[in-house]
Amino acid sequence: MNIPFYKKMLSFIVPVNIEETIGNNMTVLMMQLYCNQYVLGTPRAIYSFGKRYSPFRKTFSGIKSELKNVNSFLLIGTGLGSALKILQDQYAVFPNTILVDNDEDVLAFSIKYMNLNTHRNVEWKCSDAVQYLTMNKQKFDLIGIDIFNDLVQPNFVTTDSFLALCSQTLQANGICIFNMILENDNKIVEIETQLKQHFIQVKFIIDKVNTYFICSI
């Protein structure tokens, strides 16, 4: 997608609106350019921020040595696919990838703006997260779980049944990253304890209102 030079320069001062639509949850989805990075969000939440998207920029920096062994990647809650863009541009890792989201408009923005399929090994799938994991037979080296409706995380993300599906979908020595918004420190400890029932190792990073869990088997 070619953006005029003046808009790129203006984006370093203020977000530049590109287009918007109504998502399948009747939420306004806004495509913007900010600091020359594509941003997808709603009036209240940011779903993707190009290569600056903190949930994966910060977690990937902590697993640099493991990333070189990632040949397959599953991202559930695609946004624009910032996680894959970071892998490709910052780490030169081009895994066979499936990007899953339940909103066709979100997937359309990812395809249109992010230029993720240069190696012809990326698929976009419109599906409910639980349904996809239940039907899926493939295992992945890396999984990203980044599921939100605005600032609200669906309750199923922290259920044992869903966490078990995520663990079962990992290859041996695989890594699963969860982006969550939890209300307090007690809830963080509770979720950490719960994750340890499904993963061998669990680490977390607190980043303002978000908590990122890095889990491995």
Side-chain angles (χ1 to χ4, degrees):
M1 184 72 180
N2 292 322
I3 301 294
F5 179 76
Y6 79 91
K7 287 190 176 182
K8 292 180 180 179
M9 293 298 98
L10 182 61
S11 78
F12 286 97
I13 303 172
V14 294
V16 176
N17 293 328
I18 299 174
E19 62 176 298
E20 65 179 51
T21 188
I22 303 296
N24 64 358
N25 295 309
M26 300 308 295
T27 301
V28 176
L29 291 173
M30 303 182 300
M31 272 297 308
Q32 297 178 312
L33 192 71
Y34 185 50
C35 297
N36 202 30
Q37 299 289 314
Y38 288 117
V39 179
L40 175 65
T42 72
R44 296 178 63 236
I46 293 176
Y47 289 164
S48 282
F49 186 7
K51 292 181 287 187
R52 296 190 178 196
Y53 189 51
S54 293
F56 295 101
R57 180 174 57 83
K58 293 189 175 183
T59 53
F60 287 169
S61 69
I63 56 170
K64 291 178 182 178
S65 60
E66 291 93 336
L67 291 180
K68 64 178 182 294
N69 297 318
V70 170
N71 296 309
S72 55
F73 177 40
L74 171 65
L75 179 61
I76 300 183
T78 295
L80 291 176
S82 285
L84 179 57
K85 192 67 172 176
I86 294 167
L87 283 177
Q88 293 176 345
D89 286 11
Q90 295 190 345
Y91 296 97
V93 174
F94 292 83
N96 296 319
T97 299
I98 296 179
L99 303 175
V100 177
D101 203 281
N102 68 350
D103 193 324
E104 291 182 351
D105 289 320
V106 169
L107 296 176
F109 282 142
S110 175
I111 293 168
K112 181 176 180 179
Y113 288 99
M114 295 300 281
N115 193 32
L116 296 172
N117 202 18
T118 57
H119 286 219
R120 301 288 184 247
N121 63 347
V122 179
E123 298 180 63
W124 288 262
K125 292 186 179 292
C126 189
S127 175
D128 169 81
V130 174
Q131 181 181 24
Y132 179 82
L133 287 175
T134 301
M135 300 299 294
N136 169 68
K137 303 301 181 185
Q138 184 178 348
K139 291 183 180 288
F140 297 85
D141 298 315
L142 179 64
I143 298 174
I145 304 296
D146 192 17
I147 305 171
F148 289 90
N149 295 322
D150 220 2
L151 288 174
V152 179
Q153 188 161 54
N155 291 331
F156 71 80
V157 174
T158 55
T159 62
D160 281 314
S161 59
F162 183 76
L163 299 179
L165 283 171
C166 294
S167 177
Q168 293 162 12
T169 306
L170 278 180
Q171 294 275 19
N173 301 313
I175 296 173
C176 187
I177 295 171
F178 296 86
N179 176 23
M180 297 186 182
I181 295 179
L182 304 172
E183 55 265 34
N184 53 49
D185 291 346
N186 290 337
K187 189 64 176 179
I188 293 172
V189 172
E190 177 186 328
I191 296 300
E192 180 189 21
T193 302
Q194 188 178 7
L195 286 166
K196 286 180 177 178
Q197 298 175 21
H198 302 278
F199 300 91
I200 295 173
Q201 187 175 41
V202 177
K203 298 182 289 186
F204 64 85
I205 300 169
I206 297 175
D207 182 21
K208 298 177 183 177
V209 300
N210 295 71
T211 304
Y212 316 136
F213 291 94
I214 305 172
C215 309
S216 57
I217 61 171

